[in-house]
Amino acid sequence: DGGITQSPKYLFRKEGQNVTLSCEQNLNHDAMYWYRQDPGQGLRLIYYSQIVNDFQKGDIAEGYSVSREKKESFPLTVTSAQKNPTAFYLCASSIKYLQETQYFGPGTRLLVL
Amino acid sequence: AQKVTQAQTEISVVEKEDVTLDCVYETRDTTYYLFWYKQPPSGELVFLIRRNSFDEQNEISGRYSWNFQKSTSSFNFTITASQVVDSAVYFCALSGHSGGGADGLTFGKGTHLIIQP
């Protein structure tokens, strides 16, 4: 079964702590993306990667970091510099170019203790 | 800068009624793609349809239909004979350069559709 998995489903962060959200896909897609969703809002782009070992900042990259060492994996780290991290985080992937359809994972809800 | 506007924050209808969700977009690109996604309470975004800017044909898929009008920059979504399972938040999105200049999807704020039994 092909798809995108995200873990954990819920994540709790203490102040000053870095946390990492996992995103894995077995669709053989080149491009991967991270979005943030706040209540009552649309999704906003955090980072995207068009190919392995390459990634670009999105609209709200401050306080976040990513890596793309494998085609299947695109983890997102929420650093202590992100002052308002409470949100729903969605990972997506697409076959190749950005004009292609993006398919989404089930999301991770991050809460601050 | 790109923008997607979904003016209807919430719509509530009784089951079996038809309902139309509006989407208006702004872009300077001549080639672009429009999407609709469904977000049920579980949170995962489910892809519904993708349309390119050169194809203005309306599309029908079962109870779902889409009306793309380039002249009014609109891409509206109609559900015919709505069912309780259609209850969700629906997002319209536009590909290309986002509001901040990065490449990705620009999303509207979504329309929360409530289908009452």
Side-chain angles (χ1 to χ4, degrees):
Chain A
D1 241 350
I4 301 173
T5 56
Q6 290 186 243
S7 62
K9 190 171 180 178
Y10 294 95
L11 186 57
F12 298 91
R13 190 190 96 162
K14 294 180 184 175
E15 202 160 328
Q17 188 182 38
N18 291 354
V19 292
T20 298
L21 284 61
S22 168
C23 177
E24 305 275 332
Q25 54 98 359
N26 60 4
L27 300 168
N28 200 33
H29 286 175
D30 281 332
M32 297 186 75
Y33 315 81
W34 274 106
Y35 291 89
R36 169 180 171 141
Q37 185 181 20
D38 293 286
Q41 301 294 316
L43 281 67
R44 290 183 291 167
L45 183 66
I46 304 172
Y47 267 98
Y48 64 99
S49 167
Q50 293 209 48
I51 199 165
V52 175
N53 293 322
D54 179 70
F55 50 83
Q56 306 293 332
K57 290 182 180 179
D59 300 320
I60 55 166
E62 188 174 343
Y64 300 97
S65 66
V66 294
S67 63
R68 186 88 188 276
E69 296 174 4
K70 296 187 297 181
K71 187 174 185 177
E72 305 78 27
S73 178
F74 191 40
L76 173 75
T77 297
V78 184
T79 74
S80 56
Q82 173 49 246
K83 296 306 176 192
N84 185 21
T86 297
F88 188 50
Y89 291 87
L90 286 152
C91 177
S93 70
S94 61
I95 292 172
K96 203 167 185 68
Y97 303 110
L98 294 168
Q99 305 281 22
E100 297 288 334
T101 299
Q102 293 183 22
Y103 295 93
F104 285 80
T108 292
R109 197 166 297 278
L110 177 61
L111 299 163
V112 176
L113 293 176
Chain B
Q2 294 198 139
K3 190 176 176 184
V4 174
T5 302
Q6 294 180 256
Q8 305 149 310
T9 306
E10 184 174 290
I11 300 175
S12 180
V13 300
V14 176
E15 202 172 17
K16 297 197 176 84
E17 284 185 21
D18 299 346
V19 58
T20 296
L21 282 59
D22 297 332
C23 172
V24 174
Y25 63 92
E26 295 174 30
T27 181
R28 289 197 205 121
D29 293 340
T30 53
T31 301
Y32 52 89
Y33 288 81
L34 291 159
F35 302 82
W36 275 95
Y37 287 89
K38 174 183 180 179
Q39 187 176 43
S42 60
E44 181 171 351
L45 260 71
V46 178
F47 165 71
L48 295 177
I49 190 171
R50 168 176 173 254
R51 210 81 183 132
N52 75 55
S53 52
F54 297 108
D55 184 0
E56 287 194 68
Q57 279 190 339
N58 290 336
E59 176 141 350
I60 298 174
S61 175
R63 295 184 296 107
Y64 295 172
S65 62
W66 290 269
N67 182 1
F68 177 29
Q69 291 198 335
K70 222 166 167 179
S71 59
T72 56
S73 298
S74 65
F75 186 43
N76 296 338
F77 172 32
T78 297
I79 301 175
T80 303
S82 60
Q83 299 176 2
V84 173
V85 292
D86 296 326
S87 297
V89 180
Y90 290 85
F91 289 98
C92 180
L94 171 66
S95 70
H97 294 293
S98 66
D103 287 324
L105 290 177
T106 299
F107 282 84
K109 292 191 175 180
T111 297
H112 184 197
L113 178 62
I114 301 167
I115 310 297
Q116 298 181 25

